[in-house]
Amino acid sequence: VNGIAPQDFLSGAQASSFLVQVFNLDGASAGFDSTLGVYEVTESGDIVDVALLFVSVKDAASSADEVTIMDVEEGNELGFFIVQNGADWAEGLADTDSFSFVDDMGNSANIDDGAEIALAVNGVNSGRTVFHSYDASLNIDGLEHVLSAFDEDKPEIKIGFEDLVGGGDRDYEDVLFRV
């Protein structure tokens, strides 16, 4: 499914914690080593609680690391993002750095701000290319960069990102993870 379906699976009303694991498909390879992050979207559309989950998705996939997202507020929904080729950049960050999304004026971002939002580190625009799962309108090219599949038997949702501006090769296997 283009985008995230069903988005309500990633709601704080469903659970307050979510387990995330990056994986690879046989034969799939991405040219970039991206960074995977998460945020919560409040009922009013504010983007809060921004965090990096995996500095290097390539390292995470090869080691089968898992991260648990904790304390998701009941009215909030999760949105995921990748920082295109962000592994080297993210490795240079400090544990004390804080993350947020800001609008073009430097204010806290809302999903209504669209593609004008930017990832900020300690309140300063990072200048990095970011793609979002929450809504295609948040992506710099306005295109959907995510495909998802829901497995009701587990239950889990599998999410795949395309990591190139303009849709790239549209294989959606550059960053793969399950929640």
Side-chain angles (χ1 to χ4, degrees):
V1 174
N2 279 337
I4 300 291
Q7 180 64 44
D8 61 348
F9 178 76
L10 299 173
S11 165
Q14 301 298 323
S16 64
S17 65
F18 297 84
L19 182 69
V20 179
Q21 182 183 38
V22 177
F23 67 94
N24 283 326
L25 291 177
D26 289 337
S29 65
F32 291 142
D33 190 4
S34 295
T35 299
L36 177 63
V38 67
Y39 50 80
E40 292 182 36
V41 178
T42 67
E43 292 179 87
S44 62
D46 294 328
I47 299 172
V48 298
D49 298 334
V50 179
L52 300 183
L53 298 176
F54 298 100
V55 168
S56 164
V57 295
K58 288 186 176 185
D59 288 349
S62 65
S63 66
D65 288 344
E66 299 175 338
V67 170
T68 301
I69 301 166
M70 305 285 291
D71 302 323
V72 177
E73 302 262 343
E74 185 171 333
N76 294 355
E77 295 179 335
L78 293 180
F80 293 94
F81 66 94
I82 62 168
V83 179
Q84 181 191 58
N85 208 25
D88 288 341
W89 164 81
E91 285 176 7
L93 298 170
D95 291 340
T96 56
D97 286 332
S98 64
F99 305 96
S100 61
F101 279 93
V102 295
D103 64 16
D104 57 354
M105 301 295 290
N107 301 312
S108 294
N110 185 287
I111 59 168
D112 293 335
D113 295 326
E116 299 303 315
I117 69 172
L119 177 63
V121 179
N122 303 321
V124 178
N125 183 335
S126 68
R128 305 300 303 194
T129 299
V130 174
F131 298 113
H132 300 263
S133 71
Y134 192 80
D135 193 288
S137 69
L138 301 175
N139 295 326
I140 60 173
D141 55 9
L143 298 175
E144 189 64 68
H145 281 262
V146 172
L147 289 179
S148 66
F150 185 69
D151 185 346
E152 293 182 22
D153 294 333
K154 299 230 178 186
E156 74 178 16
I157 188 169
K158 293 179 181 173
I159 300 169
F161 268 92
E162 172 57 51
D163 66 358
L164 295 173
V165 176
D169 59 7
R170 292 178 166 77
D171 62 6
Y172 302 94
E173 58 185 24
D174 300 316
V175 175
L176 296 165
F177 60 101
R178 60 180 56 90
V179 181

